[in-house]
Amino acid sequence: MRKRVSQKITAVIVFAFILAFLAVTIVREKGKMSYQENRELAQMPEISAASLLDGSYFDELGTYLSDHFAGRSHWIYVKGEIDAEVGESIVNGVFIADNMLLSTSSCEIDNVEDIAAAFNEYTASYSGSVYLVAVPSSSGVYSELLPDYLENDTEKQQIDSLYSQLDSSIRTIDAYNILKMLNENYIYYRNDSKWTSYGAYCVYRTVIQKLGFIPTAYDKYTIEHITGDFRGNLYNITQYNGVKADMLDIYNYADGAEVTECTGYNAEGKSFEMELYDRSAIYSCDMYNLYLGEAVPMIKISTSVNNDKKLLVIKDSTADCFIPFLIQHYSEIAVISPECLTDGMSTLLNKNGYEQTLFLFGTDQFPDAETLEVIND
């Protein structure tokens, strides 16, 4: 009898606890952004007959309530800590290794044939030379740290498949094996799937030679540690503090070329002055924006290099810490982010005004064929 009473009391307490949090969730002010997770939150879905009939309204409502549940980031943190303590090494799809976080989701370049076709189409109408670098994520390079049943050895296969379908005139660069050979160094962040500035430098040495230049020696740089508190996309998913925070570095070359002008262009094509490094970003929810600031459709960088060499870089955020190494070799660099373009790239620049084009994308955020359509419009 006492046991039944105790169970009923426990059930009432749990139910009251859930109701209380649900009530707080409903009445509390709703934000648009989660700064802990560095992502936009779902907004209240609109009711329509179609969404009620197909059930999409209830799916969206569930996502909305989950995103705005009172204390959400705290509960994610607690879950991560508990999972780690009880020996469960996977939190929200992220594997907790001894000293770094790794995504367990296999990086797949969707519709490889269509993506290759987009690059080939670009090359067919371009008068210059085209280079492509597909950069693996940390889980691709450190796949041996994952459990056998999760080992992510498909990234290299994805890259090789893409490269094999490209026009022979496109010069592909193997970043995977460069990084794999150097994986005992600090070439990837512990809390993010992207490479570090040092990882980018290691690949730069090969890329710049392919582009026809001698790479700047490592000892020419002085390294400025901007912050040691960077926690990236994998931390945002897990809120797990058991892995040491990362450093964000700037490589300065005192006797080298300088940026003389850096101009950003918004979605309307309006220009504004900007800096190669946005130091204020280290006080924001996305410290990685230190490199090139928030994504914009186009950036034009002019340098003190007096060789009339112009390079067009078409990229995702993986390239942001890589581009500063190119400053020593070109008088002008144009940087295009396809995902930010609303119209064709030709509305912003003439690609044939640049004698070389470098495509650089990470496998974990590789653009789909639809996104790449803008480079051919």
Side-chain angles (χ1 to χ4, degrees):
M1 183 67 178
R2 288 181 179 177
K3 186 176 180 181
R4 279 189 172 182
V5 171
S6 176
Q7 289 174 338
K8 287 180 179 180
I9 292 173
T10 301
V12 169
I13 292 173
V14 170
F15 185 67
F17 181 80
I18 294 172
L19 276 182
F21 267 90
L22 184 59
V24 173
T25 298
I26 292 171
V27 302
R28 69 196 289 261
E29 184 178 352
K30 309 298 188 298
K32 293 184 177 180
M33 181 81 181
S34 169
Y35 292 97
Q36 291 85 0
E37 299 174 68
N38 188 27
R39 68 178 182 87
E40 291 184 1
L41 297 172
Q43 299 303 301
M44 175 66 80
E46 294 184 5
I47 299 177
S48 68
S51 64
L52 287 173
L53 286 172
D54 64 17
S56 61
Y57 172 78
F58 299 102
D59 291 338
E60 293 175 15
L61 181 62
T63 302
Y64 169 78
L65 291 174
S66 175
D67 272 9
H68 295 278
F69 192 77
R72 172 186 167 83
S73 60
H74 176 74
W75 291 116
I76 293 174
Y77 164 76
V78 170
K79 180 182 184 298
E81 292 291 327
I82 292 173
D83 286 348
E85 286 296 323
V86 300
E88 176 57 65
S89 299
I90 299 176
V91 179
N92 294 333
V94 176
F95 178 74
I96 301 173
D98 289 339
N99 61 350
M100 69 188 306
L101 304 175
L102 297 169
S103 174
T104 63
S105 300
S106 178
C107 293
E108 293 190 7
I109 304 175
D110 294 327
N111 300 318
V112 171
E113 296 86 355
D114 293 338
I115 291 173
F119 289 133
N120 292 338
E121 181 183 347
Y122 178 92
T123 304
S125 61
Y126 179 58
S127 60
S129 301
V130 178
Y131 305 79
L132 190 146
V133 187
V135 181
S137 70
S138 56
S139 58
V141 170
Y142 292 95
S143 59
E144 71 278 0
L145 298 181
L146 294 167
D148 291 341
Y149 67 94
L150 288 173
E151 189 170 337
N152 188 358
D153 60 357
T154 63
E155 286 196 40
K156 187 176 188 311
Q157 296 169 2
Q158 292 278 327
I159 293 169
D160 289 345
S161 176
L162 172 64
Y163 283 5
S164 69
Q165 298 181 57
L166 296 174
D167 187 274
S168 59
S169 64
I170 299 177
R171 303 169 195 187
T172 57
I173 298 168
D174 181 10
Y176 182 90
N177 282 314
I178 295 170
L179 295 165
K180 191 71 175 177
M181 287 189 297
L182 295 168
N183 68 1
E184 293 184 1
N185 298 279
Y186 187 49
I187 57 172
Y188 279 89
Y189 295 117
R190 292 178 286 265
N191 296 271
D192 195 289
S193 59
K194 292 187 289 292
W195 57 8
T196 62
S197 290
Y198 180 65
Y201 172 79
C202 292
V203 174
Y204 147 81
R205 291 180 300 192
T206 296
V207 171
I208 207 64
Q209 289 182 75
K210 297 283 187 180
L211 290 166
F213 299 93
I214 297 172
T216 303
Y218 185 75
D219 60 10
K220 296 289 187 182
Y221 292 101
T222 56
I223 301 173
E224 183 181 358
H225 300 306
I226 302 301
T227 180
D229 297 323
F230 173 56
R231 295 189 182 274
N233 56 9
L234 301 179
Y235 170 80
N236 294 335
I237 295 170
T238 63
Q239 300 290 298
Y240 179 69
N241 290 311
V243 171
K244 185 179 179 181
D246 286 293
M247 292 185 295
L248 292 178
D249 298 329
I250 289 178
Y251 281 53
N252 294 306
Y253 183 11
D255 299 322
E258 298 177 348
V259 173
T260 57
E261 188 175 356
C262 190
T263 306
Y265 294 81
N266 63 21
E268 289 74 41
K270 294 182 179 179
S271 63
F272 57 92
E273 291 184 9
M274 58 176 290
E275 300 288 338
L276 195 63
Y277 299 104
D278 180 3
R279 293 172 182 266
S280 67
I282 65 171
Y283 305 107
S284 72
C285 63
D286 192 352
M287 292 186 181
Y288 189 75
N289 283 338
L290 167 70
Y291 307 108
L292 303 188
E294 293 185 9
V296 294
M298 183 173 73
I299 301 171
K300 279 192 177 180
I301 304 166
S302 299
T303 77
S304 59
V305 176
N306 189 24
N307 63 2
D308 293 326
K309 297 285 188 182
K310 294 183 178 182
L311 174 68
L312 172 57
V313 181
I314 301 176
K315 58 83 184 180
D316 61 16
S317 63
T318 302
D320 291 355
C321 67
F322 178 93
I323 286 169
F325 295 113
L326 302 172
I327 300 303
Q328 304 304 318
H329 308 286
Y330 293 92
S331 62
E332 182 181 315
I333 302 169
V335 182
I336 294 288
S337 298
E339 77 278 5
C340 297
L341 288 174
T342 53
D343 296 312
M345 187 176 72
S346 60
T347 61
L348 292 176
L349 55 69
N350 174 15
K351 65 184 179 185
N352 286 311
Y354 299 82
E355 54 263 38
Q356 293 175 315
T357 294
L358 173 65
F359 290 103
L360 196 154
F361 295 100
T363 55
D364 60 340
Q365 51 186 337
F366 213 92
D368 56 27
E370 185 177 351
T371 301
L372 287 173
E373 285 180 3
V374 294
I375 67 173
N376 294 312
D377 291 339

